[in-house]
Amino acid sequence: MSQRLSVIMIAKNAADLLPDCLASVAWADEIVLLDSGSEDNTAEIARAAGVKVYTNTDWQGYGVQRQRAQSYATGDYVLMIDTDERITPELQKAIQGVLAAPQSGAVYSIARRNYFLGRFMRHSGWYPDRVMRLYERERYQYNDNLVHESLACDNAPVVALNGDLLHLTCRDFASFQRKQLNYATAWAQERHQRGKKATLTGIFTHTIGAFLKTLLLRGGVLDGKQGWLLAVVNAQYTFNKYTELWALSRGYSEKA
């Protein structure tokens, strides 16, 4: 007997992205969207498409918000996606194959193809960028991380699916930078709360390491101009993370 699929997403002010995302998963048994306080018509667009829409504005991080969203799902399996992601036909076919003949306890990894300034990257550590997004609803859920959350599925067998998940990571550079800065701040706050610290030496070694890793070890140079730019962006993001942690640990930030 084929398993029922719940597509789950969390969203805020995603009206421009949502229609294409929903179109790519319209074949699912149900779609659940948890809105965290949109000021645009995200919720209205979702409801018009038959999506089950819920709201929770008590933001406690990405991990907790995904847990809340999953609590509204009723399918046997969950496919967790973001509003800036799209399921390709090949990936849809692979997922439907899983639903027809699932492997008990397995989680399924999906190759994500990330878009950066006009190009879907093929290297730079941005492809295949496998993420675990398809899993049994009653067996697994996301961890509590404020940012860079992941599925809590230690020791579960992982099965790689065919097909790509398209991720519109960076369509607009300014918006992308703002998001990166928010991620860096959340990362630093989380580690500060756990008693972690950063040193000046660590800030610069991590920053330089991020640039070289992206450009050379991960083949960013093969992605042309975008590869070089992404190496700088990754270095900048790393610099922001560790500098914010350094500031927090010394009481130089109001977020301490």
Side-chain angles (χ1 to χ4, degrees):
M1 180 178 177
S2 182
Q3 303 291 288
R4 294 184 68 253
L5 178 67
S6 296
V7 169
I8 299 176
M9 59 185 73
I10 59 175
K12 183 176 182 180
N13 296 330
D16 59 331
L17 292 166
L18 196 55
D20 287 344
C21 177
L22 293 178
S24 77
V25 294
W27 46 273
D29 296 290
E30 73 171 359
I31 303 174
V32 173
L33 184 146
L34 180 58
D35 188 270
S36 57
S38 292
E39 298 172 349
D40 60 10
N41 60 337
T42 293
E44 290 76 6
I45 291 172
R47 290 192 184 97
V51 175
K52 297 178 180 179
V53 179
Y54 303 89
T55 302
N56 192 312
T57 58
D58 177 27
W59 183 259
Q60 296 182 29
Y62 287 91
V64 171
Q65 197 75 346
R66 292 193 193 280
Q67 293 171 14
R68 292 168 173 165
Q70 184 168 325
S71 71
Y72 295 112
T74 63
D76 303 296
Y77 273 73
V78 161
L79 174 63
M80 185 74 71
I81 68 169
D82 291 329
T83 56
D84 60 354
E85 295 174 336
R86 284 94 180 87
I87 302 295
T88 59
E90 185 181 10
L91 179 56
Q92 175 186 339
K93 182 178 178 180
I95 292 171
Q96 290 173 325
V98 170
L99 299 175
Q103 178 181 329
S104 180
V107 297
Y108 298 86
S109 75
I110 298 170
R112 188 164 57 171
R113 194 190 307 171
N114 294 288
Y115 185 85
F116 182 71
L117 296 177
R119 178 177 187 149
F120 278 108
M121 308 296 274
R122 284 291 185 180
H123 307 280
S124 307
W126 271 28
Y127 188 81
D129 186 27
R130 285 200 166 268
V131 289
M132 291 181 287
R133 298 292 191 81
L134 181 66
Y135 55 93
E136 292 175 68
R137 177 179 60 84
E138 294 187 349
R139 191 183 293 260
Y140 303 112
Q141 68 172 11
Y142 275 71
N143 59 26
D144 296 335
N145 289 6
L146 292 175
V147 68
H148 299 314
E149 70 287 0
S150 60
L151 192 64
C153 57
D154 292 344
N155 303 317
V158 178
V159 179
L161 296 182
N162 294 324
D164 289 341
L165 177 66
L166 303 182
H167 184 204
L168 303 181
T169 321
C170 177
R171 300 176 302 151
D172 167 63
F173 189 69
S175 298
F176 177 70
Q177 285 287 77
R178 285 191 291 269
K179 182 183 288 188
Q180 289 287 88
L181 185 58
N182 289 336
Y183 282 160
T185 302
W187 181 94
Q189 289 173 347
E190 182 178 69
R191 277 149 185 79
H192 176 63
Q193 291 166 7
R194 288 159 44 190
K196 303 294 184 180
K197 297 181 179 181
T199 65
L200 283 177
T201 300
I203 291 171
F204 290 104
T205 55
H206 283 293
T207 299
I208 295 169
F211 176 80
L212 295 176
K213 181 184 292 185
T214 302
L215 191 67
L216 302 178
L217 295 182
R218 294 177 173 172
V221 66
L222 300 175
D223 278 321
K225 297 174 183 177
Q226 286 88 345
W228 282 89
L229 292 173
L230 182 58
V232 175
V233 166
N234 283 347
Q236 179 187 46
Y237 171 63
T238 302
F239 174 84
N240 289 341
K241 288 195 305 183
Y242 284 94
T243 300
E244 177 67 6
L245 180 57
W246 181 85
L248 284 169
S249 64
R250 286 159 179 77
Y252 298 153
S253 172
E254 294 180 359
K255 295 182 177 63

